[in-house]
Amino acid sequence: MSQTAEHEASNETSEHVREIGHDEFDPIGTLTLIGIYFLILVFLWFFMYFVEFLGNDPTVVSGTLVFLATGERLA
Amino acid sequence: MTNTYIESFPAEAKVVRAAFYSSFLALAIGGLFGIIQTLHRTGYYRFMDSADYYTVLTAHGVLLAITFTIFFLVGVFTWATTTSLDRPVEDIRFTWAWYGLMVLGTVLTAIPIFAGFTDSEMSASVLFTFYAPLQGHPLFYFGLVLFVVGTWLAGVDWFRSWWAWKQEHPDERIPLPTFMVLTTTLMWYIATLGVAAAILLFLLPWSLGLVESVNPLLTRTLFWFFGHPVVYFWLMPAYMMWYVLLPKISGGKLFSDPLARVVFVLFLILSVPTGIHHQYLDPGIAEGFKFIAMTNTMFLLLPSLLTAFTVVASMEHGARQRGGTGYLGWLKALPWRDPVFAGMALAGLMFAAAGFSGMINAGMNINYLVHNTFWVVGHFHLTVGTAVALTFMAVTYWFLPQVTGKALWSRSVALGQVVLWFVGMTFMSNAMHRGGLLGIPRRTAEPQYEGFEFEAAVGSVGELDAQIALGGALLTLSLVLFFANVVGTALNSRSDDLPANEYADTLSGPSDAPLVLDNLKLWTAIAIVLVIFAYSFPLLSIIERGGLFGPELTELPVSIGLGLEYLWVTTVSTVTAAGETAITIIAGVSS
Ligand code: HEM
Ligand SMILES: [Cu+2]
């Protein structure tokens, strides 16, 4: 077991204004932050895939896509 | 009486301090080379011959990615086991012995690298990946072997402490920090088998002239068998700091001990069978094997996401205990003026950005866009170069008083240092990523060509170069401030007003964690089985196509002149076969 628990009280500074136990703690801020991060990731992934990756020909994939769409091979 | 680490464990504090100082020396030299190559590549200041660029780059890669990181983490791990088991190491001479072996290995490796700057025959400008057919002086490989053996013995030391502790505490859960050390060490044992095989069976005999050639794809694959998990060898100590130190510094508790254990178990079993994701573009490995590696890699996202959640939730807990409110308002209640906190939090933020570029690297198709470009360099300066390096520097400000018994020289300089690293890396890494998208290659002394211009949709290559050079300069300045603090602290006199040696308490403790999580044998066995699944077929097919020692040598019988080689080849195949059998048996027994 962690031997730190006993020292806890003495060590906390005046900035410590309340004690929040396991059951009262609702990490809503964490969910908000991670949700924002997730949206950024999705947006960036779409950007990378459709603009940078497919937009930068010639790639195998874009060639195939163009071929499927138009029936014409890229030079 | 302050209860610092050095008071409780004076003998161990000396070893930990020695390991830290060794790591900082590597950081200083490696960092110097970093700015030299930045100025050279971008064309701002070229004082050396471009041929020497690769010697500089080798020293930068080896000293920072191997020496700096690993010396620091063996110090942290020794602190973690002694503190959380509350017992000294079993035999301090053994502890000094592995430390000494690591130092010896580093020196032997450094000699041929640095000889590359002189006119002598000796050199090892093979970059830190030492791909054949690049060949280094035998001393380079030999030194690496000694260094790795040193880390193996360090692992034995930590396991010994745990075994001894278990005799006295048969019914207790493994304390979390020790649990993290042990799982990481097991992962490291499995991972280093790859590089040990690459060096001992092939590269070292080849550089000694015992065999004439090697199969480059085989040694590369063995390198990446080790090369991916080494990433977790750097990251897991940084994660440990985020789990056991950061919550405390934020004024809260670790959100969940069981989740932390799950994360480290997942890393143990998933880190190794993914290395082939560094070889998506290697011809000679079938797409199917690459696909398996990609799938494993995506699973590896899970422990990283769990870490993000647990660590942020622990910080939020601290912030709310300090009076923070709101969906995002609590962020303001965090102790941003504390360099230990600010450094770790900024490192975590950078790691989130690295998650994005890593996701791009990990996709088999989209990887073609960035493979071997400057993008990749941008990516790993966010991971090892910031998430790990900045965390290590930030916790140094907490550890130095613990292992020296002296107060930190300056907290404001420390705060400036971590912020400067963050800003510098934002410039440098962002521009590197963008450069990679334009197709600018990595590992190139003069990335400019006659009659060809890289075209940028936004900005220009000149603008990117300027940002890279500016970022590099800020990073160098940050390093100078860091060393000023290390030296300043060492010169301080002993203080008896220092924080005690404690780590974070937990909101949900180990009693909530299923017992099976502590069954290290089980997880090791699963890890080995997964490795066998992921690697035996690719390795066999590589050997079948290219031969153990390269294509030329597959034609047996051999002439008399090749007798020695023949002997060697037979020995190696026997040993390999025996090794495989042994692994099968071990896997069978322990599961
Ligand atoms: C002053 C700070 C730093 C600067 C200015 C810097 C600069 C650079 C540059 C420009 C390169 C790419 C060279 C090329 O591909 O041609 C590079 C490569 C590299 N850097 Fe850094 N870096 C710094 C800090 C770090 C840190 C802290 C780490 C790790 C802990 C690190 C690890 C690496 C590695 C592993 C490579 C790849 C070497 C190779 O390709 O073989 N760097 N660095
Ligand atoms: Cu990897």
Side-chain angles (χ1 to χ4, degrees):
Chain A
M1 278 300 296
S2 144
Q3 70 278 58
T4 56
E6 300 87 84
H7 304 288
E8 198 84 50
S10 61
N11 193 49
E12 290 307 343
T13 56
S14 54
E15 288 163 11
H16 191 87
V17 297
R18 59 177 171 238
E19 185 72 35
I20 302 178
H22 181 261
D23 296 334
E24 305 108 68
F25 179 50
D26 171 22
I28 182 70
T30 301
L31 288 179
T32 315
L33 266 189
I34 300 223
I36 296 173
Y37 176 55
F38 185 73
L39 290 180
I40 297 176
L41 275 190
V42 171
F43 168 76
L44 282 175
W45 192 88
F46 272 90
F47 174 76
M48 286 296 295
Y49 191 82
F50 289 101
V51 179
E52 292 288 351
F53 182 54
L54 295 186
N56 258 323
D57 47 32
T59 66
V60 207
V61 183
S62 68
T64 319
L65 276 187
V66 172
F67 175 70
L68 287 178
T70 65
E72 236 169 278
R73 280 185 185 278
L74 291 181
Chain B
M1 258 311 281
T2 53
N3 252 320
T4 50
Y5 185 70
I6 191 172
E7 279 165 347
S8 322
F9 302 104
E12 286 76 6
K14 276 201 194 128
V15 191
V16 174
R17 201 164 63 210
F20 284 170
Y21 287 162
S22 314
S23 127
F24 299 154
L25 185 62
L27 178 62
I29 307 174
L32 177 66
F33 286 143
I35 187 66
I36 292 177
Q37 71 206 14
T38 303
L39 296 176
H40 192 98
R41 273 195 65 111
T42 53
Y44 277 92
Y45 182 55
R46 290 181 173 164
F47 66 88
M48 59 179 181
D49 193 49
S50 280
D52 284 335
Y53 183 86
Y54 303 92
T55 309
V56 171
L57 189 53
T58 306
H60 179 77
V62 172
L63 284 174
L64 290 176
I66 306 291
T67 320
F68 158 61
T69 50
I70 297 183
F71 266 113
F72 194 85
L73 73 89
V74 295
V76 170
F77 279 7
T78 304
W79 165 82
T81 43
T82 46
T83 299
S84 67
L85 299 174
D86 199 16
R87 68 184 294 133
V89 297
E90 299 312 300
D91 181 351
I92 194 78
R93 287 166 307 178
F94 182 70
T95 309
W96 279 111
W98 60 250
Y99 167 76
L101 198 56
M102 287 175 66
V103 171
L104 180 66
T106 306
V107 172
L108 294 187
T109 303
I111 291 172
I113 296 180
F114 283 86
F117 290 117
T118 67
D119 293 330
S120 85
E121 287 274 294
M122 191 191 249
S123 81
S125 304
V126 292
L127 307 178
F128 84 107
T129 43
F130 47 87
Y131 291 150
L134 292 179
Q135 193 186 53
H137 188 273
L139 213 51
F140 172 81
Y141 304 103
F142 185 65
L144 283 180
V145 170
L146 290 190
F147 181 81
V148 169
V149 172
T151 64
W152 286 349
L153 296 180
V156 170
D157 205 4
W158 304 319
F159 265 94
R160 267 176 91 183
S161 288
W162 172 56
W163 284 323
W165 175 87
K166 211 164 59 162
Q167 304 303 316
E168 294 163 22
H169 306 79
D171 299 318
E172 276 180 44
R173 300 301 294 262
I174 311 175
L176 185 61
T178 300
F179 182 84
M180 293 170 158
V181 171
L182 300 182
T183 40
T184 308
T185 304
L186 288 169
M187 187 280 292
W188 179 243
Y189 283 144
I190 301 177
T192 40
L193 290 181
V195 73
I199 293 182
L200 291 177
L201 299 179
F202 304 109
L203 296 172
L204 186 56
W206 173 56
S207 117
L208 285 168
L210 284 175
V211 294
E212 211 147 86
S213 67
V214 297
N215 177 346
L217 186 56
L218 179 59
T219 47
R220 258 169 98 93
T221 308
L222 288 172
F223 177 83
W224 285 115
F225 179 103
F226 148 88
H228 181 73
V230 73
V231 165
Y232 290 97
F233 199 45
W234 306 325
L235 270 175
M236 284 158 79
Y239 282 6
M240 175 201 267
M241 296 292 98
W242 298 351
Y243 279 107
V244 308
L245 220 49
L246 187 58
K248 170 129 206 120
I249 308 234
S250 324
K253 294 179 179 175
L254 173 61
F255 184 65
S256 163
D257 167 297
L259 263 183
R261 286 179 204 252
V262 169
V263 165
F264 275 70
V265 165
L266 285 172
F267 279 130
L268 164 59
I269 62 185
L270 289 173
S271 290
V272 187
T274 46
I276 289 179
H277 70 204
H278 291 264
Q279 298 176 282
Y280 286 150
L281 258 70
D282 278 16
I285 299 182
E287 296 282 291
F289 297 142
K290 295 177 181 169
F291 192 83
I292 293 175
M294 173 167 79
T295 315
N296 289 343
T297 305
M298 298 301 172
F299 275 112
L300 209 43
L301 283 178
L302 187 67
S304 291
L305 287 177
L306 286 176
T307 297
F309 176 79
T310 321
V311 170
V312 177
S314 311
M315 296 199 313
E316 185 184 355
H317 181 249
R320 296 207 187 271
Q321 291 204 135
R322 296 162 62 98
T325 51
Y327 282 103
L328 293 174
W330 54 274
L331 286 168
K332 291 192 303 249
L334 288 167
W336 289 103
R337 286 177 184 282
D338 179 345
V340 184
F341 173 83
M344 280 200 270
L346 293 176
L349 188 60
M350 278 292 194
F351 196 52
F356 159 67
S357 52
M359 200 170 77
I360 301 301
N361 302 341
M364 250 172 94
N365 51 5
I366 207 168
N367 177 279
Y368 283 49
L369 180 65
V370 296
H371 200 89
N372 267 341
T373 67
F374 221 20
W375 166 285
V376 176
V377 183
H379 168 73
F380 61 67
H381 280 83
L382 293 182
T383 55
V384 67
T386 303
V388 174
L390 185 54
T391 297
F392 285 1
M393 290 189 271
V395 297
T396 296
Y397 298 131
W398 185 85
F399 274 114
L400 278 185
Q402 295 298 328
V403 296
T404 59
K406 299 169 179 177
L408 189 66
W409 177 62
S410 164
R411 272 168 69 94
S412 12
V413 170
L415 187 61
Q417 186 267 319
V418 296
V419 171
L420 212 52
W421 189 273
F422 182 82
V423 175
M425 200 53 95
T426 306
F427 278 111
M428 186 171 96
S429 163
N430 179 50
M432 283 173 166
H433 278 97
R434 282 177 53 205
L437 289 180
L438 306 184
I440 298 179
R442 68 184 283 201
R443 293 181 160 176
T444 305
E446 300 178 13
Q448 72 265 348
Y449 306 93
E450 294 281 326
F452 170 80
E453 295 269 332
F454 294 105
E455 284 169 37
V458 186
S460 67
V461 173
E463 170 247 357
L464 293 178
D465 279 344
Q467 287 196 41
I468 291 171
L470 172 66
L474 295 180
L475 289 167
T476 309
L477 185 59
S478 171
L479 278 184
V480 171
L481 298 183
F482 178 74
F483 294 120
N485 233 329
V486 172
V487 174
T489 307
L491 297 178
N492 262 347
S493 48
R494 291 287 282 260
S495 152
D496 38 35
D497 182 28
L498 297 173
N501 177 34
E502 301 167 337
Y503 56 92
D505 214 347
T506 54
L507 269 182
S508 152
S511 48
D512 298 331
L515 259 181
V516 63
L517 280 176
D518 288 14
N519 187 342
L520 297 179
K521 282 194 189 123
L522 172 70
W523 304 121
T524 310
I526 294 181
I528 293 176
V529 170
L530 284 182
V531 170
I532 294 176
F533 275 143
Y535 268 104
S536 46
F537 287 113
L539 285 178
L540 285 177
S541 88
I542 289 169
I543 295 172
E544 206 166 35
R545 289 176 59 151
L548 264 180
F549 291 91
E552 307 92 306
L553 281 180
T554 41
E555 259 71 78
L556 293 172
V558 279
S559 68
I560 299 167
L562 288 173
L564 188 59
E565 252 170 41
Y566 178 69
L567 194 68
W568 187 254
V569 174
T570 341
T571 320
V572 169
S573 358
T574 322
V575 169
T576 328
E580 268 171 24
T581 324
I583 291 176
T584 330
I585 294 173
I586 294 171
V589 167
S590 41
S591 56

